[in-house]
């Protein structure tokens, strides 16, 4: 696991832009959850595949994502 | 755990009101990061337009002024002339800059105002609900061009960067886009460079940023990025138009 | 300072500099051109900045920016140019920014003419821009008074964080008269902690803004502005009462016309007719009480407002007098100037009628 992403879920507007830029395709919309704005927030289930490239965070219009590298 | 990416101090805590997927949010971040990384937050003064970004004064953590529609470059002129050592920027949409504020931007460039303009071009009026803008593409539908913009009726879209690049004191003119991560990185570089050139006092700097408007384009956020790439970029080439010798 | 002969426009510009104005943004329009011209030479000499903007619209928004950044700033124009500035002036009032706007009035409407007039009274005092707001409007009758009022205007603007207008006319701008730059009493003014200077270590960021999207907040903001205007009405009224004792007719006139009226008053006196004048110096706040008091004077049979317009201030006189005495109007406009002789005739016609 090279990287770890955390989502400030209540800032997410469910626009899905982040899901289109993850090189390892692990950023998905969390269909089990609704955030304060009423959207499915973005999330990562298979964190171990994350390479901490930061693309998802850079594509996000709402600074929802924080990316850390181990 | 080393932090690769986190929210910049250049933005306040306030969540933005922009529609889901609207790339204004990305552009705000790039401006805020640039100011933070250049150590300019402490002496930056931004000027918000009238348009979707009208509430930008609540999103940037530096001192801000809210200008009348189209007048941000004049307002910024007043600020910069009072505080020449400050980092002054205007953040404007295409209705604000290319339509009602066309004279103001041309003359700020003519005077070589040492300010940086971030010009967000999304080819539509967003806040007021999707009217045609000077940058609306031919054939593109808008609430005031229901059958699509007809060039014989209301002309061709304005290429602001190419226009301003003819003005001697507009020393740095670049068009960028934010429709994918590589372009976002290039956009950040251009914005940062614009501020550096401003602080060197070399003249007027402007970065035109192609941006999306999912709501008024009637597209999903992801489709909007694709539409921008396939329709706007061909008409609005993404390139640098002018860079001062001293910085080349 | 000795008395010197000054042209009105230039004296106004120098007075602004004496008051610490260091920023001026203007645009050419007759008959106020000498103000920007003078500023373009003198401001840089004082470490200030003069800019000729691309339009009056741009100029007033430069004033907005500079005032918001904490500077003493002025602009000037003439009637059509002042119309272009109205939106900006409304923003400046809404954002509570101090500045001085000089209007050297010319004949209107439209392109009108370039000769003197007073036909911008409504625009200045009732608000030419949108929304509920007020400018403090000062109307000098001479170049000396203009010099004094301009200097005081900057203090009033800062004291109340409000735009102040100097309403002259072509004569005030173009005449030359002896002037002495005597200092005006300085006021205790608060620090401009609200200005956008850049954080520079400050904790919270400053925002200059007039947008209040929440109607409840917008209304509260309006109410706060009107508390301020009430303060101004209480403290800042300036008026001259001239020869009111035993007057049968009381003229109302401001600016240069008031001097013509004073000649008419002397001429009437030679014919045994006692006439007086109430001269508002602040057109807003308007000296209502003075007119009401005069209306209660038994000797007073009528009021007559004399203006270089088709009749604007006359309405404020009528409002102030509350119907107690009849109010008449005599005016020339388009650049034509009323003569003492004509005013005397008008007064006699009314008094004849009123006897």
């Amino acid at each position: 696991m090279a990287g770890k992403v955390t989502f400030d879920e209540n800032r997410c507007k469910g626009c899905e832009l982040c899901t289109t830029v993850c090189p390892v395709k692990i950023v998905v919309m969390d269909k089990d959850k609704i955030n304060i704005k009423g959207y499915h927030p973005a999330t990562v289930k298979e964190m171990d595949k994350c390479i901490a490239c930061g693309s998802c965070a850079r594509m996000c219009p709402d600074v929802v994502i924080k990316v850390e590298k181990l | 755990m080393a932090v690769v990416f986190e929210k910049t101090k250049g933005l306040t805590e306030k969540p933005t009101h922009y529609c889901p997927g609207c790339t204004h949010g990305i552009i705000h971040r790039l401006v805020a990061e640039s100011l933070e990384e250049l150590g300019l937050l402490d002496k930056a003064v931004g000027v918000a337009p009238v348009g979707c970004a009208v509430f930008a004064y609540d999103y940037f953590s530096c001192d801000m002024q809210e200008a009348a529609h189209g007048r941000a470059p004049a307002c910024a002129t007043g600020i910069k002339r009072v505080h020449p050592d400050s980092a002054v920027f205007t953040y404007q949409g295409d209705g604000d800059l290319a339509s009602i504020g066309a004279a103001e931007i041309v003359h700020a460039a003519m005077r070589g105002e040492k300010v940086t303009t971030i010009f967000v071009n999304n080819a539509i009026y967003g806040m007021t609900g999707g009217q045609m803008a000077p940058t609306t593409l031919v054939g593109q539908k808008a609430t005031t061009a229901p059958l699509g913009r007809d060039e014989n009726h209301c002309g061709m879209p304005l290429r602001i960067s190419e226009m301003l690049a003819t003005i001697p004191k507009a020393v740095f003119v670049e068009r960028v886009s934010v429709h994918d991560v590589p372009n976002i990185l290039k956009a950040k570089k251009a914005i940062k460079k614009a501020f550096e050139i401003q602080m060197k006092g070399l003249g007027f700097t402007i970065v035109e940023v192609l941006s999306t408007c999912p709501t008024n384009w009637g597209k999903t956020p992801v489709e909007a990025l694709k539409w921008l790439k396939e329709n706007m970029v061909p008409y609005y080439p993404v390139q640098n138009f002018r860079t001062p010798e001293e910085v080349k | 300072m000795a008395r010197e002969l000054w042209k009105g426009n230039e004296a106004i510009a120098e007075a602004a500099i004496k008051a610490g104005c260091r920023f001026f943004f203007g645009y050419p329009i007759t008959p106020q051109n000498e103000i920007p011209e003078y500023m373009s030479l003198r401001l840089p000499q004082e470490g200030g900045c003069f800019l000729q903007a691309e339009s009056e619209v741009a100029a007033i928004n430069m004033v907005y920016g500079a005032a918001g950044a904490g500077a003493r700033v002025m602009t000037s124009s003439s009637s059509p140019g002042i119309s272009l500035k109205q939106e900006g002036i409304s923003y400046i009032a809404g954002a509570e920014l101090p500045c001085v706007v000089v209007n050297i009035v010319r004949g209107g409407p439209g392109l009108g003419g370039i000769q003197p007039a007073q036909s911008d009274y409504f625009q200045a005092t009732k608000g030419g821009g949108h929304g509920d707001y007020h400018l403090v409007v000062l109307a000098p009758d001479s170049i000396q008074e203009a010099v004094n009022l301009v200097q005081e205007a900057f203090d009033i603007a800062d004291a109340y964080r409000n735009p102040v207008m100097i309403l002259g006319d072509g004569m005030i701008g173009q005449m030359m008269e002896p002037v002495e730059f005597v200092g005006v009493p300085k006021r205790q003014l608060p620090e401009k902690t609200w200005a956008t200077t850049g954080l520079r270590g400050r904790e919270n960021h400053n925002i200059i803004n007039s947008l209040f999207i929440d109607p409840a907040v917008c209304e509260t903001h309006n109410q706060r502005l009107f508390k301020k205007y009430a303060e101004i009405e209480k403290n800042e009224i300036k008026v001259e009462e001239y020869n009111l004792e035993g007057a049968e007719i009381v003229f109302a006139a401001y600016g240069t016309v008031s001097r013509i009226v004073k000649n008419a008053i002397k001429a009437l006196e030679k014919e045994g007719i006692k006439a007086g004048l109430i001269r508002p110096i602040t057109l807003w706040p308007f000296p209502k009480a003075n007119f009401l008091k005069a209306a209660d004077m038994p000797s007073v049979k009528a009021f007559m407002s004399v203006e270089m317009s088709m009749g604007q201030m006359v309405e404020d006189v009528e409002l102030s007098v509350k119907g107690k005495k009849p109010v008449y109007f005599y005016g020339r406009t388009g650049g034509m100037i009323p003569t003492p002789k004509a005013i005397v005739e008008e007064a006699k016609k009314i008094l004849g009628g009123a006897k």
Side-chain angles (χ1 to χ4, degrees):
Chain A
M1 180 161 110
K4 175 172 169 255
V5 285
T6 45
F7 294 82
D8 183 349
E9 288 184 341
N10 282 324
R11 290 181 74 101
C12 178
K13 294 174 186 167
C15 77
E16 302 182 11
L17 293 190
C18 54
T19 65
T20 63
V21 294
C22 174
V24 291
K25 301 263 176 289
I26 56 173
V27 182
V28 294
M29 304 314 286
D30 188 342
K31 299 293 182 191
D32 311 328
K33 219 187 252 180
I34 301 271
N35 73 1
I36 194 167
K37 296 179 198 283
Y39 295 109
H40 292 304
T43 189
V44 165
K45 300 254 194 299
E46 305 159 285
M47 197 61 83
D48 54 319
K49 290 188 182 148
C50 174
I51 60 169
C53 71
S55 292
C56 57
R58 288 196 170 83
M59 194 71 227
C60 172
D62 293 283
V63 270
V64 171
I65 306 169
K66 179 177 178 183
V67 182
E68 290 162 299
K69 193 170 202 145
L70 295 189
Chain B
M1 291 282 266
V3 172
V4 169
F5 183 93
E6 66 180 338
K7 186 156 118 29
T8 164
K9 285 197 235 22
L11 293 173
T12 63
E13 286 312 309
K14 188 158 182 165
T16 69
H17 70 291
Y18 298 117
C19 307
C22 167
T23 48
H24 260 306
I26 299 173
I27 302 164
H28 276 40
R29 176 170 60 75
L30 299 182
V31 173
E33 282 174 0
S34 300
L35 289 171
E36 182 183 14
E37 286 159 26
L38 293 169
L40 294 174
L41 271 181
D42 198 43
K43 50 183 182 175
V45 182
V47 183
V50 168
C52 287
V54 69
F55 294 124
Y57 56 77
D58 275 337
Y59 304 143
F60 289 111
S61 61
C62 58
D63 276 1
M64 294 291 293
Q65 291 198 16
E66 167 55 47
H69 193 33
R71 316 309 170 194
C75 186
T77 296
I79 298 165
K80 185 77 180 192
R81 295 303 175 131
V82 173
H83 300 298
D85 64 335
S86 52
V88 176
F89 67 95
T90 74
Y91 186 102
Q92 300 174 255
D94 40 13
D96 195 86
L97 182 140
S99 201
I100 191 171
E104 276 73 10
I105 197 69
V106 166
H107 283 269
M110 178 202 78
R111 293 190 301 268
E113 292 298 337
K114 299 171 183 60
V115 301
T116 296
T117 287
I118 307 297
F119 166 40
V120 178
N121 174 359
N122 63 359
I124 199 104
Y125 276 78
M127 181 180 84
T128 43
Q131 295 79 12
M132 185 184 78
T135 46
T136 296
L137 299 180
V138 172
Q140 181 182 348
K141 286 195 168 63
T143 56
T144 49
L147 307 177
R149 179 174 188 165
D150 171 356
E151 64 180 86
N152 300 312
H153 181 62
C154 45
M156 307 273 295
L158 269 182
R159 291 192 177 102
I160 290 291
S161 290
E162 287 82 343
M163 257 172 56
L164 295 180
T166 67
I167 298 175
K169 284 288 185 183
V171 295
F172 181 75
V173 181
E174 180 150 341
R175 178 180 295 124
V176 297
S177 179
V178 286
H179 62 273
D180 59 29
V181 176
N183 271 283
I184 288 171
L185 297 176
K186 269 186 267 158
K188 166 103 177 260
K189 239 176 92 204
I191 290 171
K192 221 170 159 181
K193 196 178 211 177
F195 277 114
E196 280 162 344
I197 291 167
Q198 173 188 155
M199 299 319 284
K200 287 194 174 80
L202 299 177
F204 176 73
T205 58
I206 178 166
V207 178
E208 177 179 352
V209 188
L210 300 183
S211 184
T212 62
C213 181
T215 299
N216 290 305
W217 290 359
K219 292 178 173 34
T220 70
V222 174
E223 287 164 354
L225 291 182
K226 190 163 170 291
W227 189 84
L228 186 157
K229 184 176 175 185
E230 289 164 1
N231 297 278
M232 288 186 72
V233 173
Y235 188 83
Y236 298 111
V238 171
Q239 67 177 78
N240 178 283
F241 294 93
R242 290 209 54 208
T243 299
E245 284 310 314
E246 301 83 338
V247 167
K248 270 197 181 114
Chain C
M1 271 287 274
R3 275 161 68 90
E4 295 169 337
L5 205 55
W6 278 79
K7 182 168 204 172
N9 281 333
E10 287 163 353
I12 286 169
E14 184 58 34
I17 293 173
K18 294 257 183 311
C21 169
R22 288 298 174 271
F23 295 86
F24 181 92
F25 306 101
Y27 189 82
I29 184 168
T30 302
Q32 59 84 57
N33 291 314
E34 293 85 355
I35 298 178
E37 287 164 353
Y38 187 87
M39 285 298 205
S40 67
L41 180 71
R42 282 279 293 122
L43 268 186
Q45 294 170 346
E46 300 292 330
C49 168
F50 162 86
L51 272 184
Q52 180 174 304
E54 55 271 30
S55 71
E56 289 92 346
V57 176
I60 193 70
N61 281 284
M62 292 177 188
V63 167
Y64 179 99
R72 278 199 156 179
V73 53
M74 180 166 102
T75 185
S76 67
S77 188
S78 169
S79 307
I82 297 292
S83 293
L84 285 173
K85 292 179 195 270
Q86 290 305 313
E87 183 203 32
I89 289 171
S90 170
Y91 271 68
I92 287 170
E96 296 194 86
L97 295 177
C99 73
V100 174
V101 179
V102 178
N103 181 3
I104 303 296
V105 183
R106 64 190 243 174
L111 195 46
I114 57 169
Q115 299 300 331
Q118 296 183 321
S119 33
D120 297 356
Y121 177 92
F122 281 154
Q123 180 187 57
T125 59
K126 307 300 172 189
H130 55 287
D132 297 297
Y133 71 93
H134 281 295
L135 309 183
V136 177
V137 182
L138 304 170
D141 72 346
S142 66
I143 296 171
Q144 180 63 60
E145 190 175 57
V147 159
N148 301 347
L149 290 178
V150 163
Q151 291 176 79
E152 200 180 348
F154 283 94
D155 272 18
I156 296 172
D158 282 352
Y160 296 96
R161 279 186 66 180
N162 206 73
V164 175
M165 176 170 277
I166 301 290
L167 195 73
D169 59 61
M171 284 185 267
I172 292 285
Q174 293 300 323
M175 270 191 309
M176 289 187 83
E177 287 188 316
V179 163
E180 190 176 355
F181 286 96
V182 292
V184 292
K186 283 285 166 219
R187 298 175 183 227
Q188 274 304 327
L189 296 171
E191 206 59 45
K192 293 184 177 178
T193 53
W194 43 264
T196 55
T197 54
L199 289 164
R200 300 180 198 265
R202 181 174 3 104
E203 182 59 30
N204 300 313
H205 66 164
N206 283 342
I207 298 175
I208 300 296
N209 167 50
S210 61
L211 172 66
F212 301 94
I213 204 82
D214 174 344
V217 175
C218 195
E219 181 179 54
T220 309
H221 177 63
N222 271 273
Q223 286 158 349
R224 205 162 52 76
L225 289 180
F226 271 70
K227 270 202 206 79
K228 172 166 74 173
Y229 298 144
E231 265 310 292
I232 294 174
E233 280 189 294
K234 211 172 79 206
N235 308 325
E236 303 297 339
I237 288 182
K238 293 175 189 298
V239 58
E240 177 195 1
E241 291 188 345
Y242 173 83
N243 210 41
L244 282 189
E245 200 46 48
E248 297 173 60
I249 182 167
V250 174
F251 291 103
Y254 69 91
T256 44
V257 173
S258 65
R259 292 164 67 172
I260 301 169
V261 164
K262 284 179 181 172
N263 291 339
I265 288 171
K266 292 187 185 91
L268 282 165
E269 221 136 71
K270 285 203 189 79
E271 298 187 28
I273 299 171
K274 199 79 173 51
L277 161 71
I278 297 175
R279 175 171 78 94
I281 300 168
T282 51
L283 302 185
W284 195 88
F286 191 74
K288 302 173 195 156
N290 300 69
F291 283 98
L292 190 58
K293 199 177 72 197
D296 285 333
M297 284 166 57
S299 65
V300 171
K301 296 192 181 66
F303 289 83
M304 180 194 285
S305 180
V306 183
E307 302 167 56
M308 287 195 293
S309 74
M310 297 304 284
Q312 296 188 22
M313 183 173 71
V314 57
E315 291 191 5
D316 279 334
V317 175
E318 277 175 302
L319 285 173
S320 307
V321 164
K322 297 184 178 172
K324 289 189 174 190
K325 296 280 170 65
V327 176
Y328 296 91
F329 166 75
Y330 172 68
R332 303 297 301 272
T333 196
M336 297 305 289
I337 300 168
T339 62
K341 197 158 106 31
I343 296 168
V344 165
E345 289 319 313
E346 284 298 313
K348 282 161 64 181
K349 234 189 287 172
I350 287 167
L351 287 176
K355 270 205 178 65

